[in-house]
Amino acid sequence: MIGAYLISITNFVRANRSLSAFMIMLTLLGLGDMLCMELSHWDWFVATLRPISALFAPFSTDLSFAPEVWLSILALVLGTLIVTITIAAQAVPRLIDLFMDDWMSLFYAWFLIFCAAHAIFLNKIPTERVSSVIYNNFVLMPISILAAFPYIYYVLGRTKPATIIAVIVRDNLRLIEFLTKPSTHHWLQFSGRIERKQLELLEFVNQLDGVSHFVSFKEAKAQIIMKMTELMTTFLKMKNDLPSEIFTITQTVRSDIAFQTLGLAQFTELEETKTFYEQKCFRVLADIYNGLLQDSAFDLASMCGSEMRNIGRAAITTEQTPVLNMMLMRFNTMMRFAIKHAVANDEARNLYNLAYHYRTFIEDLARANKVDTLKQAIFYQRFYGSEMFRHSKAHPPLYFINDVFTAEMKRILILINELGWDLAIQRHVLLELLEMDNPGGLGSEEKTFHAGVRTLQSGLALFYLERDVQPLVDLIVADIAQELKGYDMQKSNKIIGDICNRLDMARPTFWEDTDRGNVNIYFSPYKQHIPRFRELLNDSLRPAIPDDL
């Protein structure tokens, strides 16, 4: 109960910072004046100050100059504050809110105002309290003068986007930590408090989103992306300690801009899975990613994918299955953004990078033995790879992306084999891979021979030969042979020769640098099995000899 009252007092002080700073500073200055008067009655203190008082004797009780000095200091500080914030707020609107809630600024502003009022009061009203005059002249005024320029530099430092972002994230993390305390659980039972804290959680994320749209510096945008990950991972780690009431879908959550278009069923799902905060963060991160695509900020867009993978690791570690399913949806949404951008601009770079980060997330799923989630993710990979194959007919620069998706799925198949997954699951994933050159989708009869995809599939067959997984080798050989039977024998032999020669000639590195370095996706370290693989293909193409001959 005591903890709940303390929380109420703390929240009142935070919600009324200006009034709280007013009362605190008035009390401190009043106590300082009373202390100075009390010390003036002590002989030893008066004797100690007598040499100093003699030095400043002509000015010790003269306050005629003080109001002008105080007003000059006040004008200097507040003028600098107003001009600086006004100019900086044009780029970062959140800056005004930051300084309105900044304790240092509130305390210093009220300090100067009270000191000036103190001097005016002593100057206009006759008083015998010489101690108050000395207190104003020799204590308050030197402190205010010495603090003026450090405070101005403090204000300038606080106007930097990096500082604003750090403050927003710090306050959000403090709120999350506050909500995990046992005393908070009881405090939240009172009417309206749950919605108030939900509003604060959402507002912090909205502030980061707003800053990301106004700042133009790469460093600030990168900081926002990384801090979004920090917020998400911290929230996931502390989620089990949060009160269940905080996940209630209240009117505050419904009215947030991220949830305006959701239906009743989706709100019900968010409440059951307790994921409204994650949904909010994912939507903001996806929106930032889409904006970076339009700005051609390849490196920052790639960072979004990388940070998504880090969030996925936290979700896996904390066993947040609903969040993993939500991550698949967000990765797919980002993939759709990247595909639209690629088709509109004939630019494959963002897809190239996002496919890599999507694959690393799926590899984390494999290491955590998340079989069902991995199967779903592989289906999406195949779907988008096949879609890019269709788009490549009208947009040739995108032709390579189908190879990229195939290479990523190949890496996943190699990993789950090395992890010792059941052969039936490996076969299921391999069947998805074998549809990568199928523009019509799984099960469609429309196929076009894709040399890059077939080379990567053949490289996977070499791996299976090395690992002695003959059923999967036979599956790859049968699929390639089935397509080659549509050609005459001479053409088929030429295609087989081209595939085997490409595998044999491929080197570990490429001669150009990419966002992933110079790794050659067509390279296979198991070239010693190429003759055996070629033999299997040729045997599959030979017509069967009737038993009666």
Side-chain angles (χ1 to χ4, degrees):
M1 184 65 70
I2 296 177
Y5 285 125
L6 290 176
I7 291 173
S8 298
I9 294 172
T10 302
N11 279 277
F12 175 82
V13 171
R14 289 176 177 174
N16 302 274
R17 295 194 179 203
S18 182
L19 177 61
S20 301
F22 173 91
M23 297 301 298
I24 293 172
M25 190 52 62
L26 179 63
T27 302
L28 291 177
L29 291 178
L31 291 174
D33 187 273
M34 294 172 60
L35 176 63
C36 192
M37 183 182 67
E38 182 67 26
L39 290 175
S40 66
H41 296 155
W42 295 6
D43 294 338
W44 66 270
F45 186 75
V46 174
T48 302
L49 291 182
R50 187 171 288 116
I52 301 176
S53 300
L55 182 63
F56 296 100
F59 312 101
S60 59
T61 59
D62 182 19
L63 270 177
S64 60
F65 68 94
E68 289 81 2
V69 174
W70 280 115
L71 291 176
S72 298
I73 297 172
L74 191 62
L76 171 66
V77 173
L78 295 185
T80 302
L81 181 65
I82 292 171
V83 172
T84 302
I85 293 177
T86 301
I87 295 174
Q90 295 178 7
V92 186
R94 160 63 182 159
L95 190 65
I96 296 176
D97 297 331
L98 183 66
F99 276 97
M100 288 178 65
D101 294 336
D102 182 56
W103 283 114
M104 182 72 73
S105 299
L106 291 172
F107 280 129
Y108 191 59
W110 283 120
F111 172 76
L112 292 180
I113 292 171
F114 284 135
C115 288
H118 185 261
I120 293 172
F121 178 82
L122 294 175
N123 190 54
K124 297 298 181 182
I125 299 177
T127 179
E128 299 298 327
R129 293 181 58 169
V130 178
S131 62
S132 295
V133 177
I134 295 175
Y135 176 58
N136 192 282
N137 274 359
F138 299 111
V139 178
L140 299 181
M141 190 175 293
I143 290 175
S144 64
I145 293 174
L146 292 174
F149 281 101
Y151 175 71
I152 291 173
Y153 282 108
Y154 168 79
V155 170
L156 294 175
R158 297 278 284 186
T159 59
K160 295 190 299 183
T163 304
I164 297 170
I165 295 166
V167 169
I168 295 172
V169 173
R170 181 201 65 194
D171 291 345
N172 200 344
L173 292 175
R174 286 178 178 175
L175 175 58
I176 295 172
E177 184 179 358
F178 165 77
L179 292 172
T180 62
K181 296 179 179 179
S183 55
T184 305
H185 296 203
H186 176 76
W187 179 82
L188 285 173
Q189 302 301 319
F190 294 92
S191 175
R193 292 178 176 176
I194 292 175
E195 293 195 52
R196 190 187 312 166
K197 291 306 172 185
Q198 288 178 334
L199 180 62
E200 289 183 35
L201 280 173
L202 296 173
E203 276 300 310
F204 284 128
V205 181
N206 285 332
Q207 288 165 5
L208 284 179
D209 186 28
V211 174
S212 72
H213 285 86
F214 281 96
V215 296
S216 56
F217 305 109
K218 278 192 173 184
E219 293 79 5
K221 289 182 179 291
Q223 184 185 11
I224 291 173
I225 295 169
M226 290 187 291
K227 291 300 182 180
M228 287 291 295
T229 303
E230 182 180 352
L231 288 177
M232 286 282 288
T233 54
T234 302
F235 186 84
L236 290 172
K237 291 175 182 177
M238 296 184 174
K239 190 171 183 178
N240 291 334
D241 298 325
L242 294 172
S244 58
E245 297 86 356
I246 203 68
F247 299 106
T248 305
I249 302 301
T250 63
Q251 185 57 38
T252 298
V253 175
R254 293 173 184 269
S255 60
D256 185 81
I257 190 171
F259 305 119
Q260 288 287 327
T261 56
L262 297 188
L264 179 61
Q266 291 168 301
F267 281 123
T268 303
E269 181 183 357
L270 287 178
E271 185 166 283
E272 291 175 351
T273 58
K274 301 180 178 181
T275 54
F276 83 87
Y277 184 77
E278 294 94 327
Q279 177 81 309
K280 173 68 176 179
C281 291
F282 279 139
R283 287 201 166 201
V284 169
L285 196 57
D287 184 51
I288 292 174
Y289 178 76
N290 192 31
L292 294 173
L293 294 182
Q294 307 309 318
D295 295 337
S296 297
F298 300 105
D299 46 357
L300 292 176
S302 179
M303 178 181 283
C304 288
S306 175
E307 295 303 314
M308 282 285 289
R309 188 259 181 114
N310 292 334
I311 296 171
R313 283 179 169 175
I316 291 171
T317 302
T318 55
E319 293 294 331
Q320 297 287 341
T321 301
V323 178
L324 289 178
N325 295 331
M326 190 177 292
M327 283 203 64
L328 287 181
M329 184 181 298
R330 285 301 138 195
F331 258 121
N332 295 339
T333 303
M334 292 168 67
M335 191 67 70
R336 178 57 56 195
F337 290 154
I339 290 174
K340 288 182 177 179
H341 180 268
V343 172
N345 299 276
D346 279 345
E347 175 57 70
R349 187 173 179 184
N350 291 301
L351 276 170
Y352 178 69
N353 292 331
L354 187 59
Y356 165 76
H357 295 302
Y358 204 160
R359 186 259 299 169
T360 57
F361 169 62
I362 297 174
E363 287 181 333
D364 290 335
L365 293 175
R367 295 186 183 96
N369 204 36
K370 302 290 184 181
V371 178
D372 293 335
T373 311
L374 182 139
K375 285 182 177 180
Q376 195 68 26
I378 288 295
F379 168 79
Y380 297 138
Q381 287 261 301
R382 193 272 306 160
F383 176 85
Y384 290 120
S386 297
E387 181 175 347
M388 292 315 300
F389 190 22
R390 293 196 302 272
H391 284 305
S392 66
K393 295 180 180 180
H395 303 276
L398 307 182
Y399 189 80
F400 174 67
I401 293 300
N402 190 236
D403 290 13
V404 172
F405 276 100
T406 305
E408 305 300 5
M409 293 178 69
K410 172 188 169 185
R411 292 279 298 271
I412 295 165
L413 277 160
I414 290 175
L415 176 62
I416 63 176
N417 179 269
E418 292 173 341
L419 292 173
W421 278 30
D422 185 78
L423 193 61
I425 300 175
Q426 296 186 54
R427 186 179 187 279
H428 174 87
V429 178
L430 179 57
L431 287 173
E432 296 280 9
L433 174 66
L434 295 177
E435 293 292 329
M436 289 300 290
D437 56 344
N438 181 354
L442 190 64
S444 172
E445 296 299 325
E446 181 191 358
K447 282 204 172 187
T448 303
F449 190 85
H450 194 314
V453 169
R454 288 307 190 185
T455 301
L456 290 162
Q457 293 170 350
S458 301
L460 180 61
L462 299 184
F463 167 79
Y464 286 139
L465 285 170
E466 174 70 17
R467 302 277 292 189
D468 195 23
V469 190
Q470 194 61 43
L472 299 184
V473 175
D474 294 340
L475 197 60
I476 296 174
V477 169
D479 188 77
I480 297 176
Q482 180 65 32
E483 185 172 0
L484 291 178
K485 287 177 181 178
Y487 303 98
D488 58 55
M489 187 58 67
Q490 183 178 0
K491 178 68 173 177
S492 297
N493 288 333
K494 183 180 183 305
I495 292 174
I496 294 173
D498 291 342
I499 291 175
C500 293
N501 288 336
R502 189 173 185 181
L503 286 171
D504 188 47
M505 297 296 294
R507 296 292 177 262
T509 57
F510 192 56
W511 58 81
E512 293 178 2
D513 189 35
T514 68
D515 290 340
R516 301 191 214 169
N518 60 346
V519 175
N520 186 353
I521 63 174
Y522 303 103
F523 172 74
S524 173
Y526 310 108
K527 297 180 180 181
Q528 68 273 19
H529 298 293
I530 291 177
R532 174 59 181 159
F533 174 69
R534 187 167 191 164
E535 180 183 347
L536 290 173
L537 272 177
N538 288 328
D539 290 343
S540 298
L541 290 173
R542 290 194 184 99
I545 301 175
D547 294 337
D548 56 346
L549 293 181

